Amino acid sequence: MPSVGVAEIVSTVVQPDLFAAAIRIATPLALAAIGGTICERSGVVNIALEGLMLISAFFGVAAALACPVVLGITGVAASWIGVLAAILAGVVMASLHAFASITLKSNQVVSGTAINILALGLTGFLIQVFYQRTGTTDSAVLIPPLFAFDPKPSGGLATAWNWFSGVALGHTPLVYITIVIAIAAQWALYRTRWGLRLRALGEHPRAADTVGISVVRGRYMAVLMSGALAGLAGANLTLEQVGSFSENMTAGRGFIALAANIFGRWTPVGSYLAALLFGFAEALEIRLQAFIGVIKIPPQFFLMLPYILTVVVLAGFMGRAVAPAAVGKPYEKE
Amino acid sequence: MPVLELRGVTKVFPGVVANDDVSLTLERGEIVALLGENGAGKSTLMNVVYGLLTPDGGEILVDGNPVRIRRPRQAIDLGIGMVHQHFMLVETLTATENIVLGREPTRLGVVDLAVARASVVELSERYGLKVDPDKRVMELSVGMQQRVEILKALYQGARILILDEPTAVLTPQEVTELFGVVRSLVTAGLSVVLITHKLEEVLASADRVVVMRDGRVVGETRPSDTDEISLARMMVGRDVVLRVEKGPANPGEVALEVTDLDVDDDRRLHAVKGVSFQVRRGEVVAIAGVSGNGQSEIIEAIVGLRRPRGGSITLLGHDITHSSTASTIAAGVSHVPEDRHRRGLVLEFDLAENLILGDHRRMPFSRRGFLRPKAIAATAKKRISEYDVRTPSASVLAGNLSGGNQQKLVLARELGRDPECLIAAQPTRGLDVGAIEFVHKRILAERDAGKAVLLVSLELEEVQSLADRILVIYEGRLVAEFAGGQVDAETLGVYMTGGGRGAASGVSTTGGVSA
């Protein structure tokens, strides 16, 4: 193999598509992380994000594939119905977590873990039932990028344009929707009545209760919203990125999302930015793999990058993260 | 017609009748004090009125109309407001946000903070309740947090205000200020129920006193017709000594010596600044001060829970500056911590287990790493009876005891060890007169047995009745020293809040105080 210089590696890796990939990879993480933020702000730990994403990724594809047969709808429209089905699946699954942790006051980590295991088993089983094979479903139609641009010939302004369009304009709709959701949720959390009450619930539910705010209703709403957002995350994975569902395809993204929520200090925009950092690490890993023979570092190291970053960021660099004071504690009236 | 009337209210918890056929009236513009020991059922009764608990029997009438109150929202709508003993404030929200929470002025779901802030400022000025509307509650002093709570009730439209043990956390000046505010509220037409176990407050502020014991109303009187002694008798059901008799101190050799102590707090701020003092055998030295002025850090440094930044601590000549808690205990220091739930006891352990914590490594409680249940049970039995811990057996969980009995349990362990030096932080916090009497007698008994006692208390009454010497702490420095019995509460209060340095007479700055 010919020797390759550092400069060459850098110029090959640092291209618009590196950053575009970071944004793309960050999208499901960010959606789930914002869901986690809303859920934990209400005082309920949501370790089930992983399972919620997984189940909605599956039902998104399954609904999109069923559409032509059942409703006679084909093409991208079927995939959009799949997105709605994914949201619904996320909400239904989240309602289990809400019922267990709010109504039954069970341990929220145990409930979340149970949902993760259930989601893994259920999706694997349903692949066999629906598609008579193991591992992977059929492919649904991918939702295409919102804008399509051809690179312009090089030179001054054109280079800048190519960078901008390459990084920001080639994405699928949910990528943009995610950015809108992050900003809207941030605004809602700090400016609206809903946000003020949500923050009160997670910090001091009894204080909220004593001024007549329903803790149970507020927490149910929040958990179901996190289900809807995790559902969108699952839909993005299968219907915008991959096309089909394969077993355990979330591969820990739900947990990285949880970390992004913490790193983002329980704020929606913070969660998005943290997800972006993790997305960048993964995008970098994918591109650096091309140089495995050149850089004398074991390939496993690159695979580890996003996870190491998670650990380093949470343990080392962010100082003390202050969680909502009442998070994880079931609310008991006296 | 009374604004609030309770007829035969009964509330039963599993195994306990918390309220037994309780009747009570509250007239417009009146302050009624609800007096009773802890566990007498005062807070339970008011929680029923506020809709936090559902009564098992009886009737509640507001303005003469029978009402059913099942949720706080309904109480609020009827004009009932409550300031809880443990504040119902969201620490991360601002004072304004806390006050309007639940009834936020909004436009299309968006909170109109300008309108909210204006209402808060208006209310605050009308009733003389000074608050900083834009600060987050966690940044406010305890006194100001309480004013936020009162404003919250007023903002919600309260005509009947229930104050649950409002003075427990306040300085003498803040108490005076609070009762001024309460008086102005009543003048403006509100009615106030004051839950308390402090006799002097009742006599100073109430129009009428209702005394509860064991869930029942046992008497009703007016402050002008009674005094502390008879109120205490009604409340406890027997004669109590309000101020323990104390002989002169007989100080011996120096037991505990703290020199130039510097300690940081949890936020790594300099909390204790060059503090020096001595405690001799046979004397009680009290550190008086407003909560959060470095008292906790001094104690934690002495007992080995916090690493001092500088200075030295010696016990009977041995350096214990950097000793662990285990070796500090071994050296002869016992510690009654300020928070018995967090540090004093393991609430999920039974009484016997709690009684040997800290001594569990030693004979006779364990040998070669194995506990010896018989020795533990025997000691537990002895100490439970010696310290009059009221419990069916030693295998009851500590969390199931009342506050007073829990405190006796802590004392039984710490004093049962027969220490050289006792460090007692707020030893009677939240206790009623009967239990206070017991704890005070025990502390003085230690002194008279030649032990050194360091007392930290926010209760000036307690400091004055126990201390042979009083040190006043302000912002991490000792700012004054007085001989016990030579200073009044007002003077102490002035020093505790940073005033009067060197101005008052009777100040002696001997004894290693860095003034």
Side-chain angles (χ1 to χ4, degrees):
Chain A
M1 177 165 287
S3 68
V4 185
V6 173
E8 200 173 333
I9 297 179
V10 170
S11 68
T12 315
V13 169
V14 183
Q15 288 294 320
D17 74 322
L18 171 70
F19 298 97
I23 294 173
R24 192 163 60 240
I25 296 167
T27 295
L29 298 179
L31 283 167
I34 295 166
T37 296
I38 291 172
C39 193
E40 299 216 334
R41 281 287 188 155
S42 84
V44 180
V45 172
N46 198 343
I47 208 169
L49 290 172
E50 174 82 4
L52 297 175
M53 266 167 95
L54 193 65
I55 204 111
S56 34
F58 173 82
F59 277 103
V61 169
L65 289 172
C67 264
V69 186
V70 181
L71 300 171
I73 298 172
T74 57
V76 175
S79 297
W80 278 110
I81 290 176
V83 172
L84 295 181
I87 294 173
L88 187 69
V91 170
V92 168
M93 204 67 172
S95 68
L96 278 184
H97 183 54
F99 183 69
S101 51
I102 303 167
T103 306
L104 300 181
K105 300 177 177 132
S106 59
N107 184 302
Q108 297 167 9
V109 173
V110 172
S111 158
T113 306
I115 285 176
N116 287 337
I117 295 169
L118 174 66
L120 189 59
L122 188 66
T123 49
F125 171 70
L126 289 178
I127 291 174
Q128 284 198 323
V129 171
F130 289 175
Y131 307 102
Q132 285 81 43
R133 53 189 147 106
T134 56
T136 315
T137 64
D138 300 338
S139 281
V141 178
L142 277 175
I143 297 172
L146 209 49
F147 318 99
F149 288 93
D150 294 322
K152 294 228 160 63
S154 59
L157 253 174
T159 309
W161 168 251
N162 287 341
W163 265 85
F164 174 71
S165 61
V167 173
L169 293 181
H171 296 292
T172 49
L174 287 181
V175 172
Y176 300 107
I177 289 174
T178 303
I179 295 171
V180 173
I181 286 176
I183 294 167
Q186 182 85 13
W187 177 81
L189 189 61
Y190 289 100
R191 288 282 175 273
T192 66
R193 175 165 63 193
W194 169 80
L196 180 65
R197 291 180 173 189
L198 185 76
R199 285 183 288 146
L201 285 183
E203 287 291 334
H204 198 334
R206 187 173 299 282
D209 191 17
T210 52
V211 292
I213 297 169
S214 166
V215 178
V216 169
R217 197 171 59 205
R219 287 190 168 176
Y220 258 95
M221 283 264 296
V223 176
L224 297 188
M225 283 173 80
S226 79
L229 287 166
L232 269 182
N236 168 266
L237 274 182
T238 44
L239 296 166
E240 287 194 339
Q241 294 197 27
V242 182
S244 62
F245 176 89
S246 47
E247 244 183 284
N248 195 24
M249 73 182 296
T250 46
R253 282 184 180 81
F255 295 107
I256 294 184
L258 216 53
N261 158 52
I262 296 170
F263 186 36
R265 291 181 185 263
W266 287 270
T267 62
V269 167
S271 290
Y272 188 89
L273 295 177
L276 208 53
L277 185 68
F278 293 138
F280 183 77
E282 202 177 325
L284 194 64
E285 170 239 312
I286 293 165
R287 272 147 195 81
L288 285 178
Q289 278 187 42
F291 298 93
I292 278 172
V294 185
I295 318 171
K296 298 278 179 262
I297 297 175
Q300 287 84 351
F301 175 80
F302 296 115
L303 289 174
M304 277 161 49
L305 257 184
Y307 305 96
I308 289 186
L309 187 69
T310 310
V311 171
V312 167
V313 149
L314 287 186
F317 284 105
M318 70 171 293
R320 211 163 70 91
V322 184
V327 76
K329 295 179 197 141
Y331 179 63
E332 305 267 9
K333 287 210 166 207
E334 267 173 83
Chain B
M1 188 202 317
V3 287
L4 177 70
E5 183 174 1
L6 309 184
R7 287 184 191 158
V9 169
T10 298
K11 174 71 196 175
V12 183
F13 291 121
V16 196
V17 183
N19 288 151
D20 187 359
D21 192 23
V22 176
S23 297
L24 179 89
T25 59
L26 176 68
E27 301 289 338
R28 186 166 189 275
E30 186 186 36
I31 303 175
V32 167
L34 197 51
L35 180 70
E37 291 189 284
N38 290 307
K42 307 168 303 232
S43 294
T44 302
L45 186 67
M46 288 302 119
N47 282 336
V48 165
V49 172
Y50 195 61
L52 284 168
L53 295 172
T54 308
D56 297 303
E59 232 188 336
I60 301 173
L61 294 90
V62 174
D63 298 324
N65 307 312
V67 291
R68 281 166 55 87
I69 305 172
R70 292 291 174 267
R71 284 193 303 278
R73 176 88 261 163
Q74 294 169 330
I76 293 167
D77 290 341
L78 289 164
I80 301 170
M82 183 160 178
V83 174
H84 300 263
Q85 190 176 1
H86 304 287
F87 297 152
M88 296 291 167
L89 295 174
V90 184
E91 297 221 313
T92 52
L93 301 184
T94 65
T96 298
E97 286 172 328
N98 267 287
I99 291 167
V100 301
L101 189 66
R103 285 201 173 172
E104 309 85 351
T106 54
R107 218 179 296 150
L108 301 171
V110 182
V111 178
D112 195 333
L113 274 176
V115 169
R117 192 179 184 284
S119 328
V120 169
V121 170
E122 193 269 325
L123 270 178
S124 144
E125 279 167 4
R126 190 186 332 157
Y127 294 107
L129 286 152
K130 285 189 295 280
V131 296
D132 190 333
D134 306 314
K135 277 236 171 82
R136 294 206 277 174
V137 164
M138 61 202 291
E139 299 162 340
L140 301 179
S141 71
V142 175
M144 199 177 278
Q145 291 186 9
Q146 187 174 58
R147 295 198 283 276
V148 171
E149 277 278 42
I150 296 173
L151 281 172
K152 193 166 92 178
L154 296 174
Y155 178 85
Q156 309 265 7
R159 300 172 293 127
I160 300 163
L161 191 62
I162 303 166
L163 302 174
D164 191 358
E165 303 277 3
T167 61
V169 290
L170 303 183
T171 63
Q173 279 78 2
E174 286 174 323
V175 171
T176 313
E177 210 175 311
L178 172 71
F179 285 124
V181 166
V182 169
R183 195 38 78 187
S184 78
L185 292 175
V186 169
T187 312
L190 275 81
S191 312
V192 174
V193 178
L194 176 71
I195 301 178
T196 183
H197 60 247
K198 293 188 185 167
L199 305 166
E200 73 273 24
E201 280 170 17
V202 170
L203 294 172
S205 63
D207 298 314
R208 203 149 52 82
V209 191
V210 174
V211 184
M212 284 184 75
R213 190 172 73 228
D214 298 333
R216 290 198 189 84
V217 171
V218 293
E220 188 183 322
T221 179
R222 291 185 179 277
S224 50
D225 303 337
T226 186
D227 57 25
E228 290 196 14
I229 304 288
S230 48
L231 276 180
R233 192 186 303 122
M234 238 198 279
M235 183 168 138
V236 183
R238 63 179 167 85
D239 283 320
V240 275
V241 183
L242 292 174
R243 199 157 173 156
V244 286
E245 288 299 317
K246 181 175 81 152
N250 194 5
E253 60 172 322
V254 172
L256 179 70
E257 178 152 26
V258 171
T259 314
D260 295 328
L261 188 67
D262 278 288
V263 192
D264 289 348
D265 66 11
D266 287 338
R267 293 166 297 168
R268 301 195 186 149
L269 301 176
H270 200 178
V272 178
K273 300 161 186 162
V275 163
S276 302
F277 61 89
Q278 301 174 335
V279 185
R280 295 172 176 276
R281 284 182 178 280
E283 70 168 351
V284 177
V285 174
I287 298 178
V290 178
S291 174
N293 274 281
Q295 303 97 315
S296 307
E297 286 77 11
I298 291 179
I299 288 184
E300 287 168 4
I302 294 173
V303 301
L305 285 166
R306 188 178 288 273
R307 208 180 162 74
R309 187 211 275 199
S312 74
I313 304 163
T314 60
L315 183 77
L316 295 166
H318 302 290
D319 182 42
I320 57 164
T321 313
H322 297 293
S323 290
S324 64
T325 47
S327 45
T328 308
I329 290 171
V333 176
S334 271
H335 173 213
V336 176
E338 58 183 340
D339 188 337
R340 57 180 165 263
H341 289 167
R342 212 158 60 84
R343 286 218 170 126
L345 297 168
V346 181
L347 297 178
E348 293 80 13
F349 278 15
D350 68 25
L351 304 195
E353 288 165 334
N354 270 292
L355 279 168
I356 61 152
L357 285 178
D359 300 313
H360 56 279
R361 295 186 201 83
R362 285 204 290 270
M363 284 288 283
F365 305 124
S366 71
R367 192 164 57 188
R368 296 187 201 95
F370 289 94
L371 292 175
R372 303 175 72 217
K374 272 188 191 152
I376 294 171
T379 306
K381 199 174 166 205
K382 188 171 131 249
R383 292 196 184 158
I384 285 170
S385 74
E386 193 180 335
Y387 286 84
D388 190 30
V389 182
R390 308 274 170 84
T391 173
S393 85
S395 55
V396 168
L397 299 188
N400 293 336
L401 295 185
S402 72
N405 279 307
Q406 287 176 346
Q407 194 69 7
K408 287 178 188 171
L409 191 64
V410 174
L411 281 176
R413 180 183 67 223
E414 296 300 322
L415 299 182
R417 189 180 289 146
D418 196 26
E420 301 298 335
C421 172
L422 172 68
I423 316 262
Q426 300 205 56
T428 59
R429 179 178 179 181
L431 303 191
D432 48 60
V433 282
I436 289 173
E437 178 191 5
F438 180 88
V439 173
H440 283 181
K441 279 184 174 164
R442 278 291 169 179
I443 289 174
L444 288 177
E446 288 300 302
R447 179 198 80 159
D448 294 339
K451 308 296 169 60
V453 180
L454 177 66
L455 170 75
V456 167
S457 180
L458 307 177
E459 299 279 349
L460 292 186
E461 184 89 351
E462 174 163 281
V463 166
Q464 288 177 298
S465 77
L466 292 184
D468 300 310
R469 282 194 293 133
I470 301 171
L471 310 174
V472 183
I473 194 167
Y474 176 68
E475 292 192 339
R477 292 196 170 84
L478 295 180
V479 292
E481 175 176 342
F482 302 93
Q486 307 246 310
V487 61
D488 56 28
E490 281 64 36
T491 312
L492 281 177
V494 168
Y495 280 90
M496 279 161 54
T497 46
R501 215 163 291 188
S505 59
V507 182
S508 90
T509 45
T510 56
V513 169
S514 58

